[in-house]
Amino acid sequence: MGLPRFPGGLSLPGWKPAAAGIARLPLPPVLRVPLLQHAGLPCEPCVAVGERVARFQPLGRVPAGALGAAVHSPAGGRVRAIEPGPTALPGRPEALHVLVEVETGDTDEAWRLPPLDPLGTPAEAVLERLAEAGVAGLGGAGFPAADKLAAARRLLILNGAECEPVVASDAALVQHHAGDLVQAAHLLARCCGAGDWVLALEAGMEAAIAAARQALAAAGEEAARRLVVLPDRYPAGAERSLILAVAGLELPEGELPRQHGVLVQNVATAVAALRAVRDGEPLVSRLVTAGGPGLRGAGVWEVAIGTPAHWLAKAAGGWALEALVLRAGGPMMGTVLPDAEVAIGKTTIALTAWPAPPASPPRPCIRCGDCAGVCPARLLPQQLHARLQARDRSGALALGLMACVECAACDVVCPSAIPLSAGFRAAREAEREHRFRQRQAEAAKQRFEARTARLEREAEAQARADAEDRTKRLSSAAARALAKARARRGDAGKDGGGDGRGGAA
Ligand code: SF4
Ligand code: SF4
């Protein structure tokens, strides 16, 4: 049987660092910890400038009722400042950061959470722990893990497919922590009620595949059932391609995996969840690959969240080029960073450096169709591009703009060097913003209508109460008047008054 397939895709050069150990990056003198490293709202700072903080101590908490993930200090130190700065999170260019001057480092354990039994702790308590420990997706969008796991699923897919060149963080994680990953799979599957789970890796991750097979065998699991090896083809790790290849399910445009009972969770997120539960560790570090032709060396490091990019670059041998493009992630989907001060966040799977592209303008489309051939979403990128150039929003939507996974495979093959995916990314961002505003406007309208209806109901109720009150008052006045009249008549009878004709019957 061949490897599971998905449509389109590309074979890209690997340039991966050789499978070796994971080095621990020393802490920098100052950590810049972003208060936004996840989907949803930024955290609100819960420390003050000048305050001493310990490792694992919360620096920011999620606003009540909002989607988000708590942020913790990776080291003991003193809060030097709380200030805005650029982030490495896709689509969220700026956020507040807590700057921690590192003093006691990672020796202080006072804020470690109490360990919980990963096998016996009820699912609700596990989700509470994941929220408390700030566990969010480490693979890309940073969706808070507790919220993702709260919906019931039938299938859990642990995604270890790193299809981008250079990036090898998940391969290193699986290679060195495969036992934890199997334990994490059981924990997460139990939490979301999934009856089945699989681990998806890529052909070419030989060391990780071997380690996964060994860990599965040690846990009494059948590799044939639990391990899926995808083709070494970009973008095998993109959620929709992965679900199609692993489960044979092609998600209709606009529908989410959750609607089909499927949960895709990055392997590093799964292990972070296990550590939050089993070891009581808030999420304060992650594995990051550093590499690319703009760096002298390459490798995988365990890096404290908030470490500036230049600190990691220094550990990787320093810059190899003068003019370069720095990306949080790989060359295909990585976010371009404005400078090397930007801090490593929970979603920063890699720090890669690339030669700055020549500033030549794109040439006209020659209608070769190559872009359509590699599109994993079965789109027609050239036509989509033409609709966007014509500012035809509805035409672009009809051509499936929102199904684009922003993989940039179409850019790679375009002989005219047209920056197709950048236009799609911007248009999708604008469309998401538009829909968000529409939802907000709709919610505001519903709130206004509900308030108006409530005020009308209250006014009607008040009018009814007033009327009843008036009726009661009138009736009692009438009753009093009648009683008085009767009383007067009674008195008159006693006096024998009136016309003097009253007498004994
Ligand atoms: S960026 Fe979008 S249009 Fe281009 S190949 Fe990827 S999914 Fe298709
Ligand atoms: S690959 Fe480039 S030149 Fe070819 S059809 Fe697509 S946009 Fe046009």
Side-chain angles (χ1 to χ4, degrees), residues 47-74:
V47 290
V49 175
E51 186 176 334
R52 290 202 178 277
V53 291
R55 185 182 187 219
F56 296 141
Q57 181 174 338
L59 299 177
R61 295 192 194 279
V62 182
L67 179 72
V71 168
H72 303 76
S73 182

Side-chain angles (χ1 to χ4, degrees), residues 364-372 382 410 413-416 418 420:
C365 170
I366 57 168
R367 299 181 187 277
C368 64
D370 288 358
C371 50
Q382 176 264 334
C410 48
V413 295
C414 179
S416 297
I418 300 171
L420 298 160

Side-chain angles (χ1 to χ4, degrees), residues 371 374-377 379 381 384 403-411 420-421 424:
C371 50
V374 296
C375 180
L379 303 180
L384 195 51
C404 167
V405 297
E406 301 176 19
C407 66
C410 48
D411 295 348
L420 298 160
S421 68
F424 305 156

